[in-house]
Amino acid sequence: MNKLVIFLALVACASAADWSAYKTRFGKSYRSLNEEQLRLRMFEKNKRIIEQHNKRFEAGEESYDMGLNEFSDLSFEEFQALYLSSFDAAAAASVEQQIDEVSSRAAPSSLDWRSKGAVTAVKHQGSCGSCWTFSAAGCLEGAHFIKTGKLVTISEQNILDCSSRAPYNNMGCNGGYTSQALQYIIDNGGVNYMSNYPYEGAVKTCRYNRNSIAATMRSRSSVARTEAALKEATANKGPIAVSVVVTDKFQNYKSGVFNDNTCAGKVVNHGVLVVGYGNDSAGDYWIVKNSWGKSWGESGYIRMSRNRSNQCQIASYGLVAVV
Ligand SMILES: *[C@@H]1O[C@H](CO)[C@@H](O)[C@H](O)[C@H]1NC(C)=O
Ligand SMILES: *[C@@H]1O[C@H](CO)[C@@H](O)[C@H](O)[C@H]1NC(C)=O
């Protein structure tokens, strides 16, 4: 009896230390004791999933490891509601022209636009399903750099405020279409710098300033829906905005080549940016820039499986900004 009590107390104690370290590391504070207890339960659940996964990783059975992050105190359903969006990506893609899959210029076997200076620092979308503004800004930042040699940081808030209404019909923090965000920039004649129109993570009134244009674009086009076409487009056009399926595995990703066979058959719910590709002993991968800050994944990036039957739909909705 005594032994049991001591055992329980020790477990609770270790867990409390973990929890308190977690809260400190990610600057967490909660409104009430009830809220904190709910968050602690989610944290413990995620922690168990992560520990079990990492045992398989250490045994060489997984190509990536998981880790605690800013989202470890949320259930997947809560995480989905706060950070992901639901797209009718098929409808959004069907209005667009396809670019040629076959190009005379061959793609190298690996490529990283970050090392060429075409990619801005990792941003953070906050508790707002505005990923579609980040993937749109990212592909234009890349295309603008390739054309002008200048890397500018584009204002996602500008896109969020000004295209979350007719005729673009984006849904603000509840999600939207990367293609419609790009269409707004085309119609508007440009988009502002982030420094002059900083991110707030909520839809506010449109404050576009025509005297502070960071970049303009002429048109947008979609990439043919194969991984070979995505590779060719990444090499020859620059960083590509894509939509992917995000599951609870992605929520807990830490490092390595992400491999998620639970994506199959699901609808895309997140907009990200392909900035390169490569391969290592864990397999072929896409280098993907996310918008959840630098503490998530590999300093804000994830390497997603490449050449694994278009896993998580990575090649299904690629978009290019034509400047
Ligand atoms: C990457 O792929 C190339 C061929 O495409 C291969 O020669 C090389 O060994 C691979 N690298 C690793 C680390 O597996
Ligand atoms: C995909 O993998 C298969 C088998 O490993 C290989 O033959 C093929 O060349 C790869 N395709 C691409 C586009 O990397």
Side-chain angles (χ1 to χ4, degrees):
M1 195 58 166
N2 254 346
K3 252 188 190 164
L4 182 63
V5 169
I6 289 163
F7 177 68
L8 285 175
L10 275 177
V11 169
C13 195
S15 172
D18 281 358
W19 176 235
S20 134
Y22 175 76
K23 286 190 296 178
T24 305
R25 183 166 159 214
F26 294 101
K28 299 278 183 180
S29 64
Y30 302 103
R31 283 188 306 258
S32 66
L33 201 60
N34 274 351
E35 172 75 6
E36 173 149 359
Q37 271 160 358
L38 179 65
R39 295 296 137 227
L40 175 58
R41 277 205 300 280
M42 298 308 164
F43 168 81
E44 285 174 333
K45 192 173 168 210
N46 278 313
K47 194 163 165 283
R48 267 197 308 277
I49 293 170
I50 291 166
E51 283 165 358
Q52 281 162 8
H53 176 93
N54 287 352
K55 270 191 202 131
R56 293 196 302 276
F57 174 71
E58 276 150 32
E61 292 160 16
E62 298 280 358
S63 58
Y64 68 102
D65 68 342
M66 290 183 169
L68 292 171
N69 59 40
E70 189 184 337
F71 314 118
S72 305
D73 59 349
L74 298 172
S75 70
F76 179 65
E77 289 67 30
E78 292 166 324
F79 174 73
Q80 196 167 23
L82 282 172
Y83 294 94
L84 304 177
S85 67
S86 59
F87 298 82
D88 185 357
S94 67
V95 298
E96 289 164 32
Q97 260 189 312
Q98 300 281 305
I99 60 168
D100 279 340
E101 186 174 333
V102 186
S103 160
S104 49
R105 286 167 296 185
S109 62
S110 70
L111 177 87
D112 186 347
W113 280 109
R114 292 173 298 183
S115 66
K116 300 176 196 293
V119 185
T120 60
V122 170
K123 303 175 187 179
H124 199 317
Q125 66 186 73
S127 303
C128 170
S130 55
C131 55
W132 52 280
T133 66
F134 289 84
S135 54
C139 75
L140 178 52
E141 286 167 348
H144 182 84
F145 172 83
I146 290 164
K147 176 97 178 263
T148 67
K150 280 196 208 122
L151 185 65
V152 297
T153 304
I154 288 172
S155 169
E156 282 79 12
Q157 190 67 37
N158 179 175
I159 301 170
L160 184 64
D161 289 343
C162 307
S163 73
S164 293
R165 58 183 163 83
Y168 305 106
N169 300 322
N170 291 314
M171 294 157 287
C173 288
N174 296 320
Y177 307 108
T178 304
S179 57
Q180 290 294 77
L182 294 173
Q183 190 59 49
Y184 157 73
I185 298 171
I186 297 166
D187 297 346
N188 191 51
V191 62
N192 288 153
Y193 291 96
M194 188 188 222
S195 56
N196 292 342
Y197 199 152
Y199 191 66
E200 297 177 72
V203 180
K204 303 279 174 75
T205 54
C206 177
R207 288 154 290 161
Y208 173 72
N209 176 355
R210 66 177 68 250
N211 299 317
S212 165
I213 297 177
T216 59
M217 55 182 282
R218 289 187 291 130
S219 62
R220 53 182 185 155
S221 63
S222 56
V223 179
R225 307 175 73 174
T226 67
E227 288 186 276
L230 181 59
K231 180 181 175 189
E232 192 271 322
T234 305
N236 294 309
K237 314 268 178 193
I240 308 288
V242 296
S243 298
V244 293
V245 178
V246 163
T247 71
D248 53 338
K249 290 177 189 279
F250 194 106
Q251 180 184 356
N252 291 321
Y253 170 80
K254 185 170 169 220
S255 66
V257 179
F258 184 62
N259 177 24
D260 183 359
N261 52 22
T262 69
C263 276
K266 297 198 174 109
V267 175
V268 295
N269 54 3
H270 191 43
V272 289
L273 187 72
V274 168
V275 302
Y277 53 83
N279 70 303
D280 69 13
S281 53
D284 293 355
Y285 54 79
W286 298 105
I287 306 168
V288 175
K289 186 187 189 190
N290 201 357
S291 50
W292 296 344
K294 287 193 184 75
S295 69
W296 180 86
E298 296 182 330
S299 302
Y301 287 80
I302 177 170
R303 284 182 291 149
M304 295 181 70
S305 282
R306 180 168 64 95
N307 199 15
R308 216 185 261 273
S309 309
N310 191 20
Q311 195 177 76
C312 302
Q313 305 261 356
I314 184 125
S316 296
Y317 304 105
L319 286 167
V320 177
V322 181
V323 298

